[in-house]
Structure formats: structure tokens, C-alpha cells
Amino acid sequence: MLPSCFLCVTLISIRVRNINGADLTVTRTCRMFSRLKQRVEDVLLPGDEFSFETDDTISLTEAVKPEKAVCGPGLRRSGDRLVVCKSGVLRHKPPNVFWIDSQQRRYVPAKGETVIGIVTAKSGDVFKVDVGGSEQASLSYLAFEGATKRNRPNVQVGDLVFAQFIIANKDMEPELSCIDSSGRANGMGVFGAGGLLFRVSLGLVRRLLSPHNEVRSDLETLFPCELVVGMNGRLWVRSSSIQQTLIIANLLQSCETMTAQQRKELFRRVQQGAL
Amino acid sequence: MEVCGSSNVSLREFGCEQSLLSRPDGSSSFVQGDTSVMAGVYGPAEVKVSKEIYDRAILEVLIQPKVGLPSVRERSQEQCVRETCEASLLLSLHPRSSLTLILQVLHDDGSLLSCCLNAACMALMDAGLPMSCLFCGVTCAITAEGEIITDPTAAQEKESRALMTFAIDSAERRVMMSSTKGSFSVHELQQCIAVSQKASEKIFQFYRDSVKRRYSKTH
């Protein structure tokens, strides 16, 4: 699953007039794109940079398309250079998306992400929700499916809500909503009776949410359970008995540090009833 | 635990470990010879309205000595570490938040401030805080005969005529912070800076190797 907050970096293209007055569009062949591609899957540290150096020879005969590189979290543009600002592995999604995959525990709110929040206060017409970030998010009581001024939603302090960020940037207080743009809940809202909420790292959450991932398919072979995944590193699990719920919670927490081999081994042992 | 041996700039054997504590958002432990410091980072987290800054994060550094309560000496070391960290972190990306860095001295056998700086840098990287460059700390001591020793032990520090600690950045190897004690000439200061810049190469290479090893384990 790709994290949010991507910025677009366009490589430069200049226009040149020849002596007849006709226009020739020439693109500076920038080696930055190929240099980025060379270092995909390399571990990079903050301070490493990719510069927009140009070749000395500009080709006037071939028509070269301007290349756009979309840079994600961990890469920042400073003047004419692309600087790495977090340590991690450089990933690439063809055709032109690059980002740094880093292991982090602290969540920073980003627009559009679905998270699990805990309601901490009811003040007037908004609920204050703790999402694990640097400040509490606000959730309006009208942002629930079927809620009107007369028909208030049944939300108490301490409830768990699964909601989506509609405003989340560094300058403003984050705002959540339990309905999407068409007014439907789509799986969001209050939940949580009888399950267990626990914290994992953000990397594990992204792995769980990516399509065709092995952890989820391995988990499906065990007991039937309900799993809610919040992108702020919170997971909620409910299974048919307390013991099974605890087993699944422990398995998911230990998945962070295990290789695929060890994980399959552990799941197989659980399936055989050894644990 | 990643370990590196000494070289011709004669640094003691150093080693580090990341993510060893479960509660903080980032943690690390750095060992130089017998000097060992553990660092924990929390952030970006909530901050009291009286302490918040509208356009950047506020960084608090706490150094706990091995024995006793923090005193004035720890306060001055905290200021050195804080100024270095503020220069390399991108604080404007998290306005109205707080970052807390706690350093616990496990054993002090000389070069304590540079060990604190190295542990701080690794912990900030482990927490995933955005940084514009890395930094490292190098300590030099000038003996009574005028010889320059890098990474001195406590006994060597006691006999030295002057003691200097520099924080060097990874982008252009410039001096970010300097803390000096004793008497020395301008020429000696410049020589110490040059020696520290050379020593910092080893430390940055070590950072790179230990982070590479960490990311190669978990895939």
C-alpha cells in the first residue's frame, strides 16, 4: 500500500529557436532519473542527494519526452537537488514513482488514510479522538451515517472509531470523518465490543494492507476472526474465544521481527494446535 | 550489535544497536571503547500550549548521568546536543509538536559528549524523524607534549592540556558545534578540526553499514 503525501518533480524542458525562426523543443537529458533507478532497493541515509546535473551534449535531432518523477515520503526537493531525509530503502513503482520505505513507530496524520481512534472527549458538537499523532483529531457528530441534528450518533468516551482523515496537514488540527464523500459509512464508524486493540509498527500495517500479502493469507488458514487495520499502527482483533483472540494478537505482534520462513513455521505450529 | 575496529586515526572500538527499547519511538545504544550511552526519542508528540512554537517543533534533551541527579554539567552538555540536533533536524515539518531526546549514561570512560552525539543521531534516525544531514561527535585531546589524541579515555583526558569535542555534519564535513576546555593555540585548533573531520568519515561509514545491516534483516 502506498503511503500518502507525494510530490511531483518535473524535469526541465527548454525551447530553442533556430535561425529560421521555427521552434525546436529540446529536453535536457537529465541523468537524475536513471541515477534514481540505479539506486532502487539501496539503503539510503539522510543527507544523500540526487542532483539535476545535465549532460554537456544536447541532442537536437531526437525528440525526447520530458520525464516526470513522482517523489514520495522520505524524499525532499531542495532547490535543484533531491535530498533523502529519512533512512530506509529506496523503492520504485514503475513508471516513475520513488519513495523511501522506512521503519517507524510514530504516526503522522495524512489525508485520506483510515485509522483507528479512541474517543477521549465530547465537547459541544465535536468529539476529540486520539489517533496517536502529535495532536488529537476532531470528529464532528454529523460525520456519521444517518446522523442529523436531532438524531445524534451513539458515541461514548472510550469508544473505538474507524474513520478517515479529511483534513490532515502540519498547519491545521486534523479532522476525521466516518462517512465518505457520497454519505455512506463504507465500513467506518464505531466498533469494538469484545475485541482486543494493540499497537504494531507502521511497516507491518502497510504490509497487511498491501494486496496479495502473505501474512493475511496465512492468517486466513487459522481461526476465523475479525480484523480491523488502522494505518496509525493500531490493530483490533476479535475471534470466537478470548484465547484465540490473544493467540492472533501475539502472532501479529511477532510478525514484525520474523522472516517469512520463521513466520510460516510458527503459523504451521499454531495450526497443528501446538500452542 | 554492529562493531567496528580502530584505524589509523586511532578511534577506539565502537558499536551500536538500534530499536532496542519497546516504548520510545526511536532508541539506540552507542559504545565507544568502554564509554556507553543509551538514547531514546519520543516524537512528534503533544506539547503544552505554553511551550509550543507556532512554526516548528520544540526539541528537549535530557542527559541522565550514571550516578546522582543531573547537575550544571549535564545542562551544558544538553545544550550542545540540542543545538546540534536542531541544526540537522527538519523541525518546520512538525509545527506545534514536541520531540524529546533522553540520553542515559551507562558508563563514562572519556569522550562522553561525542558518544552522546553519536547515540542521539542513531536514535533520531531510528525514530524516522526527517533530517537534512547526519552528524557525529569526535573528541580530541592535546597532551602536555603537544600530541593530538582522538577519542581519549578518561585517564588520557585527565592528563591532557586541552580537550575539544566537535560535531561534524555528513554533507560537507563542517563543524556544527564545538565544546573546548583548556589552553591551545589557533594552529592546534585547526589541526584538531582536520583530524576530527578525518575521523568522522569512519563514523559515517559505520552508520551506513549498521543501517544497511538492519534493513537487510527485516524484509
PDB file of all heavy atoms in Angstrom, chain A residues 229-257:
ATOM      1  N   VAL A 229      -7.707  -2.902  10.621  1.00  0.00           N
ATOM      2  CA  VAL A 229      -6.340  -2.410  10.497  1.00  0.00           C
ATOM      3  C   VAL A 229      -6.376  -0.896  10.379  1.00  0.00           C
ATOM      4  O   VAL A 229      -6.950  -0.357   9.442  1.00  0.00           O
ATOM      5  CB  VAL A 229      -5.677  -3.017   9.247  1.00  0.00           C
ATOM      6  CG1 VAL A 229      -4.266  -2.506   9.115  1.00  0.00           C
ATOM      7  CG2 VAL A 229      -5.685  -4.517   9.335  1.00  0.00           C
ATOM      8  N   GLY A 230      -5.786  -0.195  11.335  1.00  0.00           N
ATOM      9  CA  GLY A 230      -5.699   1.260  11.271  1.00  0.00           C
ATOM     10  C   GLY A 230      -4.299   1.653  10.837  1.00  0.00           C
ATOM     11  O   GLY A 230      -3.321   1.099  11.335  1.00  0.00           O
ATOM     12  N   MET A 231      -4.199   2.629   9.929  1.00  0.00           N
ATOM     13  CA  MET A 231      -2.877   2.970   9.420  1.00  0.00           C
ATOM     14  C   MET A 231      -2.041   3.739  10.421  1.00  0.00           C
ATOM     15  O   MET A 231      -0.890   4.073  10.138  1.00  0.00           O
ATOM     16  CB  MET A 231      -3.010   3.766   8.124  1.00  0.00           C
ATOM     17  CG  MET A 231      -3.590   2.920   7.037  1.00  0.00           C
ATOM     18  SD  MET A 231      -3.472   3.676   5.449  1.00  0.00           S
ATOM     19  CE  MET A 231      -1.727   3.574   5.177  1.00  0.00           C
ATOM     20  N   ASN A 232      -2.607   3.999  11.608  1.00  0.00           N
ATOM     21  CA  ASN A 232      -1.774   4.621  12.628  1.00  0.00           C
ATOM     22  C   ASN A 232      -1.104   3.570  13.492  1.00  0.00           C
ATOM     23  O   ASN A 232      -0.698   3.872  14.616  1.00  0.00           O
ATOM     24  CB  ASN A 232      -2.607   5.580  13.480  1.00  0.00           C
ATOM     25  CG  ASN A 232      -3.863   4.924  14.018  1.00  0.00           C
ATOM     26  OD1 ASN A 232      -4.261   3.864  13.569  1.00  0.00           O
ATOM     27  ND2 ASN A 232      -4.501   5.571  14.979  1.00  0.00           N
ATOM     28  N   GLY A 233      -0.980   2.352  13.004  1.00  0.00           N
ATOM     29  CA  GLY A 233      -0.254   1.347  13.746  1.00  0.00           C
ATOM     30  C   GLY A 233      -1.107   0.609  14.760  1.00  0.00           C
ATOM     31  O   GLY A 233      -0.581  -0.076  15.624  1.00  0.00           O
ATOM     32  N   ARG A 234      -2.424   0.747  14.694  1.00  0.00           N
ATOM     33  CA  ARG A 234      -3.294   0.064  15.652  1.00  0.00           C
ATOM     34  C   ARG A 234      -4.061  -1.040  14.945  1.00  0.00           C
ATOM     35  O   ARG A 234      -4.622  -0.834  13.878  1.00  0.00           O
ATOM     36  CB  ARG A 234      -4.287   1.043  16.272  1.00  0.00           C
ATOM     37  CG  ARG A 234      -3.593   2.048  17.151  1.00  0.00           C
ATOM     38  CD  ARG A 234      -4.565   2.969  17.800  1.00  0.00           C
ATOM     39  NE  ARG A 234      -3.873   3.946  18.616  1.00  0.00           N
ATOM     40  CZ  ARG A 234      -4.431   5.033  19.099  1.00  0.00           C
ATOM     41  NH1 ARG A 234      -5.703   5.280  18.847  1.00  0.00           N
ATOM     42  NH2 ARG A 234      -3.740   5.866  19.841  1.00  0.00           N
ATOM     43  N   LEU A 235      -4.112  -2.204  15.584  1.00  0.00           N
ATOM     44  CA  LEU A 235      -4.874  -3.335  15.050  1.00  0.00           C
ATOM     45  C   LEU A 235      -5.895  -3.755  16.086  1.00  0.00           C
ATOM     46  O   LEU A 235      -5.629  -3.724  17.277  1.00  0.00           O
ATOM     47  CB  LEU A 235      -3.950  -4.525  14.783  1.00  0.00           C
ATOM     48  CG  LEU A 235      -2.895  -4.388  13.704  1.00  0.00           C
ATOM     49  CD1 LEU A 235      -2.107  -5.661  13.589  1.00  0.00           C
ATOM     50  CD2 LEU A 235      -3.535  -4.085  12.376  1.00  0.00           C
ATOM     51  N   TRP A 236      -7.055  -4.181  15.611  1.00  0.00           N
ATOM     52  CA  TRP A 236      -8.097  -4.672  16.511  1.00  0.00           C
ATOM     53  C   TRP A 236      -8.497  -6.040  16.016  1.00  0.00           C
ATOM     54  O   TRP A 236      -8.750  -6.224  14.825  1.00  0.00           O
ATOM     55  CB  TRP A 236      -9.274  -3.706  16.486  1.00  0.00           C
ATOM     56  CG  TRP A 236     -10.432  -4.094  17.344  1.00  0.00           C
ATOM     57  CD1 TRP A 236     -10.617  -3.803  18.650  1.00  0.00           C
ATOM     58  CD2 TRP A 236     -11.581  -4.839  16.933  1.00  0.00           C
ATOM     59  NE1 TRP A 236     -11.804  -4.309  19.086  1.00  0.00           N
ATOM     60  CE2 TRP A 236     -12.416  -4.954  18.064  1.00  0.00           C
ATOM     61  CE3 TRP A 236     -11.978  -5.421  15.736  1.00  0.00           C
ATOM     62  CZ2 TRP A 236     -13.630  -5.630  18.026  1.00  0.00           C
ATOM     63  CZ3 TRP A 236     -13.185  -6.096  15.701  1.00  0.00           C
ATOM     64  CH2 TRP A 236     -13.998  -6.195  16.843  1.00  0.00           C
ATOM     65  N   VAL A 237      -8.590  -6.989  16.955  1.00  0.00           N
ATOM     66  CA  VAL A 237      -8.864  -8.374  16.581  1.00  0.00           C
ATOM     67  C   VAL A 237     -10.000  -8.902  17.434  1.00  0.00           C
ATOM     68  O   VAL A 237     -10.066  -8.626  18.628  1.00  0.00           O
ATOM     69  CB  VAL A 237      -7.608  -9.252  16.829  1.00  0.00           C
ATOM     70  CG1 VAL A 237      -7.938 -10.704  16.717  1.00  0.00           C
ATOM     71  CG2 VAL A 237      -6.523  -8.896  15.866  1.00  0.00           C
ATOM     72  N   ARG A 238     -10.869  -9.655  16.827  1.00  0.00           N
ATOM     73  CA  ARG A 238     -11.874 -10.374  17.626  1.00  0.00           C
ATOM     74  C   ARG A 238     -12.066 -11.746  17.018  1.00  0.00           C
ATOM     75  O   ARG A 238     -12.278 -11.870  15.808  1.00  0.00           O
ATOM     76  CB  ARG A 238     -13.198  -9.632  17.656  1.00  0.00           C
ATOM     77  CG  ARG A 238     -14.215 -10.356  18.521  1.00  0.00           C
ATOM     78  CD  ARG A 238     -15.433  -9.528  18.796  1.00  0.00           C
ATOM     79  NE  ARG A 238     -16.208  -9.295  17.589  1.00  0.00           N
ATOM     80  CZ  ARG A 238     -17.252  -8.478  17.560  1.00  0.00           C
ATOM     81  NH1 ARG A 238     -17.602  -7.816  18.635  1.00  0.00           N
ATOM     82  NH2 ARG A 238     -17.914  -8.297  16.447  1.00  0.00           N
ATOM     83  N   SER A 239     -12.033 -12.770  17.868  1.00  0.00           N
ATOM     84  CA  SER A 239     -12.233 -14.127  17.374  1.00  0.00           C
ATOM     85  C   SER A 239     -13.296 -14.797  18.234  1.00  0.00           C
ATOM     86  O   SER A 239     -13.874 -14.162  19.107  1.00  0.00           O
ATOM     87  CB  SER A 239     -10.901 -14.868  17.419  1.00  0.00           C
ATOM     88  OG  SER A 239     -11.023 -16.088  16.767  1.00  0.00           O
ATOM     89  N   SER A 240     -13.538 -16.075  18.033  1.00  0.00           N
ATOM     90  CA  SER A 240     -14.678 -16.694  18.718  1.00  0.00           C
ATOM     91  C   SER A 240     -14.425 -16.916  20.204  1.00  0.00           C
ATOM     92  O   SER A 240     -15.347 -17.004  20.983  1.00  0.00           O
ATOM     93  CB  SER A 240     -15.064 -18.018  18.044  1.00  0.00           C
ATOM     94  OG  SER A 240     -13.906 -18.675  17.610  1.00  0.00           O
ATOM     95  N   SER A 241     -13.162 -17.023  20.638  1.00  0.00           N
ATOM     96  CA  SER A 241     -12.923 -17.130  22.075  1.00  0.00           C
ATOM     97  C   SER A 241     -11.774 -16.204  22.448  1.00  0.00           C
ATOM     98  O   SER A 241     -10.996 -15.784  21.601  1.00  0.00           O
ATOM     99  CB  SER A 241     -12.571 -18.568  22.462  1.00  0.00           C
ATOM    100  OG  SER A 241     -11.244 -18.838  22.102  1.00  0.00           O
ATOM    101  N   ILE A 242     -11.673 -15.925  23.757  1.00  0.00           N
ATOM    102  CA  ILE A 242     -10.628 -14.995  24.218  1.00  0.00           C
ATOM    103  C   ILE A 242      -9.250 -15.560  23.923  1.00  0.00           C
ATOM    104  O   ILE A 242      -8.324 -14.858  23.529  1.00  0.00           O
ATOM    105  CB  ILE A 242     -10.797 -14.730  25.729  1.00  0.00           C
ATOM    106  CG1 ILE A 242     -12.108 -14.015  25.980  1.00  0.00           C
ATOM    107  CG2 ILE A 242      -9.643 -13.892  26.240  1.00  0.00           C
ATOM    108  CD1 ILE A 242     -12.347 -13.679  27.422  1.00  0.00           C
ATOM    109  N   GLN A 243      -9.098 -16.865  24.085  1.00  0.00           N
ATOM    110  CA  GLN A 243      -7.778 -17.457  23.871  1.00  0.00           C
ATOM    111  C   GLN A 243      -7.347 -17.292  22.415  1.00  0.00           C
ATOM    112  O   GLN A 243      -6.208 -16.936  22.121  1.00  0.00           O
ATOM    113  CB  GLN A 243      -7.841 -18.934  24.239  1.00  0.00           C
ATOM    114  CG  GLN A 243      -6.477 -19.540  24.331  1.00  0.00           C
ATOM    115  CD  GLN A 243      -6.547 -21.020  24.613  1.00  0.00           C
ATOM    116  OE1 GLN A 243      -7.549 -21.670  24.301  1.00  0.00           O
ATOM    117  NE2 GLN A 243      -5.505 -21.551  25.168  1.00  0.00           N
ATOM    118  N   GLN A 244      -8.278 -17.543  21.493  1.00  0.00           N
ATOM    119  CA  GLN A 244      -7.933 -17.403  20.077  1.00  0.00           C
ATOM    120  C   GLN A 244      -7.600 -15.955  19.737  1.00  0.00           C
ATOM    121  O   GLN A 244      -6.687 -15.683  18.958  1.00  0.00           O
ATOM    122  CB  GLN A 244      -9.088 -17.889  19.200  1.00  0.00           C
ATOM    123  CG  GLN A 244      -9.264 -19.379  19.249  1.00  0.00           C
ATOM    124  CD  GLN A 244     -10.394 -19.846  18.351  1.00  0.00           C
ATOM    125  OE1 GLN A 244     -11.146 -19.031  17.824  1.00  0.00           O
ATOM    126  NE2 GLN A 244     -10.507 -21.135  18.171  1.00  0.00           N
ATOM    127  N   THR A 245      -8.346 -15.032  20.352  1.00  0.00           N
ATOM    128  CA  THR A 245      -8.054 -13.609  20.102  1.00  0.00           C
ATOM    129  C   THR A 245      -6.639 -13.279  20.543  1.00  0.00           C
ATOM    130  O   THR A 245      -5.884 -12.614  19.836  1.00  0.00           O
ATOM    131  CB  THR A 245      -9.048 -12.727  20.888  1.00  0.00           C
ATOM    132  OG1 THR A 245     -10.371 -13.140  20.595  1.00  0.00           O
ATOM    133  CG2 THR A 245      -8.868 -11.281  20.538  1.00  0.00           C
ATOM    134  N   LEU A 246      -6.255 -13.778  21.714  1.00  0.00           N
ATOM    135  CA  LEU A 246      -4.913 -13.488  22.215  1.00  0.00           C
ATOM    136  C   LEU A 246      -3.847 -14.127  21.350  1.00  0.00           C
ATOM    137  O   LEU A 246      -2.785 -13.537  21.108  1.00  0.00           O
ATOM    138  CB  LEU A 246      -4.784 -13.989  23.660  1.00  0.00           C
ATOM    139  CG  LEU A 246      -5.525 -13.172  24.691  1.00  0.00           C
ATOM    140  CD1 LEU A 246      -5.478 -13.870  26.028  1.00  0.00           C
ATOM    141  CD2 LEU A 246      -4.921 -11.789  24.815  1.00  0.00           C
ATOM    142  N   ILE A 247      -4.139 -15.340  20.859  1.00  0.00           N
ATOM    143  CA  ILE A 247      -3.151 -16.004  20.008  1.00  0.00           C
ATOM    144  C   ILE A 247      -2.918 -15.194  18.748  1.00  0.00           C
ATOM    145  O   ILE A 247      -1.773 -14.960  18.331  1.00  0.00           O
ATOM    146  CB  ILE A 247      -3.624 -17.440  19.657  1.00  0.00           C
ATOM    147  CG1 ILE A 247      -3.566 -18.322  20.892  1.00  0.00           C
ATOM    148  CG2 ILE A 247      -2.773 -18.023  18.557  1.00  0.00           C
ATOM    149  CD1 ILE A 247      -4.091 -19.712  20.657  1.00  0.00           C
ATOM    150  N   ILE A 248      -4.001 -14.735  18.127  1.00  0.00           N
ATOM    151  CA  ILE A 248      -3.838 -13.964  16.880  1.00  0.00           C
ATOM    152  C   ILE A 248      -3.117 -12.658  17.159  1.00  0.00           C
ATOM    153  O   ILE A 248      -2.248 -12.230  16.381  1.00  0.00           O
ATOM    154  CB  ILE A 248      -5.211 -13.716  16.234  1.00  0.00           C
ATOM    155  CG1 ILE A 248      -5.825 -15.046  15.845  1.00  0.00           C
ATOM    156  CG2 ILE A 248      -5.082 -12.816  15.026  1.00  0.00           C
ATOM    157  CD1 ILE A 248      -7.159 -14.911  15.192  1.00  0.00           C
ATOM    158  N   ALA A 249      -3.419 -12.023  18.280  1.00  0.00           N
ATOM    159  CA  ALA A 249      -2.749 -10.753  18.600  1.00  0.00           C
ATOM    160  C   ALA A 249      -1.251 -10.979  18.772  1.00  0.00           C
ATOM    161  O   ALA A 249      -0.420 -10.221  18.261  1.00  0.00           O
ATOM    162  CB  ALA A 249      -3.350 -10.153  19.861  1.00  0.00           C
ATOM    163  N   ASN A 250      -0.886 -12.045  19.488  1.00  0.00           N
ATOM    164  CA  ASN A 250       0.538 -12.320  19.689  1.00  0.00           C
ATOM    165  C   ASN A 250       1.235 -12.660  18.374  1.00  0.00           C
ATOM    166  O   ASN A 250       2.371 -12.264  18.138  1.00  0.00           O
ATOM    167  CB  ASN A 250       0.720 -13.482  20.667  1.00  0.00           C
ATOM    168  CG  ASN A 250       0.457 -13.046  22.088  1.00  0.00           C
ATOM    169  OD1 ASN A 250       0.654 -11.883  22.420  1.00  0.00           O
ATOM    170  ND2 ASN A 250       0.006 -13.959  22.918  1.00  0.00           N
ATOM    171  N   LEU A 251       0.552 -13.419  17.518  1.00  0.00           N
ATOM    172  CA  LEU A 251       1.154 -13.768  16.234  1.00  0.00           C
ATOM    173  C   LEU A 251       1.440 -12.536  15.407  1.00  0.00           C
ATOM    174  O   LEU A 251       2.516 -12.387  14.819  1.00  0.00           O
ATOM    175  CB  LEU A 251       0.204 -14.681  15.446  1.00  0.00           C
ATOM    176  CG  LEU A 251       0.140 -16.128  15.879  1.00  0.00           C
ATOM    177  CD1 LEU A 251      -0.914 -16.842  15.061  1.00  0.00           C
ATOM    178  CD2 LEU A 251       1.476 -16.791  15.677  1.00  0.00           C
ATOM    179  N   LEU A 252       0.456 -11.608  15.376  1.00  0.00           N
ATOM    180  CA  LEU A 252       0.657 -10.409  14.551  1.00  0.00           C
ATOM    181  C   LEU A 252       1.773  -9.546  15.121  1.00  0.00           C
ATOM    182  O   LEU A 252       2.556  -8.962  14.377  1.00  0.00           O
ATOM    183  CB  LEU A 252      -0.644  -9.618  14.450  1.00  0.00           C
ATOM    184  CG  LEU A 252      -1.675 -10.253  13.519  1.00  0.00           C
ATOM    185  CD1 LEU A 252      -3.021  -9.576  13.662  1.00  0.00           C
ATOM    186  CD2 LEU A 252      -1.209 -10.144  12.083  1.00  0.00           C
ATOM    187  N   GLN A 253       1.859  -9.467  16.434  1.00  0.00           N
ATOM    188  CA  GLN A 253       2.926  -8.638  17.006  1.00  0.00           C
ATOM    189  C   GLN A 253       4.282  -9.246  16.750  1.00  0.00           C
ATOM    190  O   GLN A 253       5.266  -8.543  16.564  1.00  0.00           O
ATOM    191  CB  GLN A 253       2.722  -8.476  18.517  1.00  0.00           C
ATOM    192  CG  GLN A 253       1.815  -7.318  18.816  1.00  0.00           C
ATOM    193  CD  GLN A 253       1.542  -7.167  20.287  1.00  0.00           C
ATOM    194  OE1 GLN A 253       1.410  -8.152  21.001  1.00  0.00           O
ATOM    195  NE2 GLN A 253       1.448  -5.946  20.730  1.00  0.00           N
ATOM    196  N   SER A 254       4.367 -10.574  16.703  1.00  0.00           N
ATOM    197  CA  SER A 254       5.666 -11.183  16.476  1.00  0.00           C
ATOM    198  C   SER A 254       6.026 -11.221  15.001  1.00  0.00           C
ATOM    199  O   SER A 254       7.192 -11.421  14.663  1.00  0.00           O
ATOM    200  CB  SER A 254       5.696 -12.588  17.061  1.00  0.00           C
ATOM    201  OG  SER A 254       4.646 -13.331  16.524  1.00  0.00           O
ATOM    202  N   CYS A 255       5.055 -10.985  14.124  1.00  0.00           N
ATOM    203  CA  CYS A 255       5.349 -10.985  12.684  1.00  0.00           C
ATOM    204  C   CYS A 255       6.326  -9.901  12.295  1.00  0.00           C
ATOM    205  O   CYS A 255       6.979  -9.993  11.266  1.00  0.00           O
ATOM    206  CB  CYS A 255       4.076 -10.723  11.878  1.00  0.00           C
ATOM    207  SG  CYS A 255       3.179 -12.186  11.516  1.00  0.00           S
ATOM    208  N   GLU A 256       6.401  -8.843  13.102  1.00  0.00           N
ATOM    209  CA  GLU A 256       7.256  -7.709  12.723  1.00  0.00           C
ATOM    210  C   GLU A 256       8.696  -8.115  12.568  1.00  0.00           C
ATOM    211  O   GLU A 256       9.412  -7.641  11.705  1.00  0.00           O
ATOM    212  CB  GLU A 256       7.206  -6.645  13.808  1.00  0.00           C
ATOM    213  CG  GLU A 256       5.935  -5.891  13.851  1.00  0.00           C
ATOM    214  CD  GLU A 256       6.011  -4.764  14.849  1.00  0.00           C
ATOM    215  OE1 GLU A 256       6.878  -3.899  14.697  1.00  0.00           O
ATOM    216  OE2 GLU A 256       5.211  -4.780  15.775  1.00  0.00           O
ATOM    217  N   THR A 257       9.165  -8.952  13.476  1.00  0.00           N
ATOM    218  CA  THR A 257      10.594  -9.211  13.534  1.00  0.00           C
ATOM    219  C   THR A 257      10.968 -10.541  12.908  1.00  0.00           C
ATOM    220  O   THR A 257      12.115 -10.924  12.962  1.00  0.00           O
ATOM    221  CB  THR A 257      11.066  -9.211  14.987  1.00  0.00           C
ATOM    222  OG1 THR A 257      10.164 -10.023  15.732  1.00  0.00           O
ATOM    223  CG2 THR A 257      11.056  -7.819  15.547  1.00  0.00           C
TER     224      THR A 257
END
